[in-house]
Amino acid sequence: MQTAKTLTKNDVLKSWFRWYMFAQSNYNYERMQATAFAHSMLPVIEKLYPDKEDAKAAVQRHLSFFNTEPICGAVIHGITIAMEEEKANGKPITDGAFNGIKTGLMGPLAGIGDTLTQGIITPIMLAICIGITNNQNLAGPIIFLIAQFAIMTTIQLTMWMNGYTYGKKAVEQILEGGMINKVIEGASILGTLVMGGLVGRFIPLQTLISFDVGQVKFNLQTDLLDKLMPGLIPLALTLIVLSMVKKGVSPIKLMGILIALGAVTGILGIF
């Protein structure tokens, strides 16, 4: 009887580490991340296919076009490793099945990954750590680097191992059940709250208008606006900019308008 070919956790981790280090290496317009994908699969292929020709065929089938978000998309690699293990043990899995899994999942997972990593996690961490740095605290960039490393590594490794452990069915259940949409929606709301709360801190805009009322000098900012609602002017400016963005005004034009207004109102002593 033929001995079953099995992968150890160390084999799977070796494969993950290669993807972790080289996911965007040799990124090209012909096959995007294909060479990085094949490179990450080498520890698995070497373990499962001692025959040189079988190993060459395995590498070849992972050189097809591949492109996804490297963090959340790592679940595809886990699934592929599980399929390679099954194929090495005699299961009739074709090269087309591998390509079908990759092409079917890389698009949806790229959208999910871009939303979570680039649209939510990174902006929130930047907002928090820039706030720390603005107080001349060197801990800001250090915390950002450590937190980004820890968060992204944890997500990627978790996706990788779960893909290997649970396979394609788990991913399909998550995508079809709407669970991931709830996670994204909740994270988006959290991100909006954090960014909204930081508006007053990152836009320290105040009016300089003051005038005499009898023998008392009345300052519009401290004597009225701050008592009504601290940060009222930054909030108003943010809402105006948001409304202009919704109307289709380009960010470049908006920046030009803000710079011009800032210069004029500063010279006139209004803000």
Side-chain angles (χ1 to χ4, degrees):
M1 293 181 65
Q2 186 177 0
T3 304
K5 299 175 182 178
T6 57
L7 295 170
T8 64
K9 184 177 181 180
N10 191 45
D11 296 326
V12 180
L13 287 176
K14 282 181 182 178
S15 180
W16 163 76
F17 187 72
R18 289 196 178 204
W19 177 253
Y20 182 76
M21 296 298 295
F22 302 107
Q24 306 286 24
S25 299
N26 198 32
Y27 198 94
N28 61 85
Y29 287 110
E30 182 183 0
R31 301 189 184 187
M32 295 295 184
Q33 299 168 326
T35 51
F37 192 104
H39 179 66
S40 70
M41 293 295 293
L42 287 179
V44 171
I45 292 172
E46 290 170 357
K47 180 71 175 288
L48 295 176
Y49 302 104
D51 182 78
K52 188 176 180 180
E53 293 303 316
D54 290 340
K56 285 170 62 176
V59 172
Q60 188 65 41
R61 64 173 158 264
H62 295 305
L63 285 173
S64 58
F65 180 90
F66 183 79
N67 187 39
T68 193
E69 193 277 324
I71 304 299
C72 293
V75 71
I76 301 172
H77 300 69
I79 295 170
T80 304
I81 292 171
M83 292 174 67
E84 282 288 4
E85 191 173 26
E86 293 294 318
K87 182 177 178 64
N89 284 287
K91 294 293 179 64
I93 301 175
T94 64
D95 290 357
F98 284 96
N99 289 330
I101 289 294
K102 289 194 282 187
T103 56
L105 293 177
M106 65 185 186
L109 288 170
I112 293 168
D114 288 342
T115 302
L116 285 175
T117 60
Q118 300 175 31
I120 297 172
I121 297 173
T122 299
I124 289 176
M125 291 306 305
L126 280 172
I128 294 171
C129 294
I130 288 173
I132 297 172
T133 307
N134 281 345
N135 295 326
Q136 298 183 348
N137 192 334
L138 188 59
I142 296 173
I143 292 173
F144 175 76
L145 290 173
I146 294 174
Q148 279 285 101
F149 171 79
I151 293 170
M152 298 303 180
T153 302
T154 300
I155 294 174
Q156 188 186 60
L157 183 56
T158 301
M159 297 294 283
W160 188 285
M161 298 305 294
N162 282 341
Y164 173 67
T165 303
Y166 300 110
K168 178 175 175 284
K169 289 184 179 180
V171 179
E172 290 179 342
Q173 288 175 359
I174 291 173
L175 292 174
E176 293 173 0
M179 184 190 305
I180 194 64
N181 293 329
K182 294 177 182 178
V183 172
I184 291 176
E185 183 180 3
S188 299
I189 293 171
L190 176 61
T192 303
L193 288 171
V194 171
M195 297 302 292
L198 292 170
V199 165
R201 185 172 185 176
F202 287 139
I203 311 176
L205 183 63
Q206 296 184 343
T207 179
L208 301 175
I209 297 175
S210 62
F211 47 88
D212 295 327
V213 180
Q215 296 181 346
V216 179
K217 190 168 186 178
F218 181 83
N219 186 290
L220 182 61
Q221 182 69 50
T222 57
D223 295 329
L224 179 62
L225 296 180
D226 286 347
K227 292 180 179 178
L228 287 174
M229 180 180 175
L232 181 60
I233 296 178
L235 174 62
L237 177 62
T238 302
L239 293 176
I240 291 170
V241 170
L242 178 62
S243 66
M244 293 177 72
V245 169
K246 289 183 175 180
K247 290 178 182 178
V249 181
S250 70
I252 300 298
K253 186 179 290 186
L254 274 174
M255 284 189 285
I257 294 171
L258 290 173
I259 291 171
L261 286 176
V264 172
T265 56
I267 292 170
L268 296 176
I270 298 173
F271 292 105

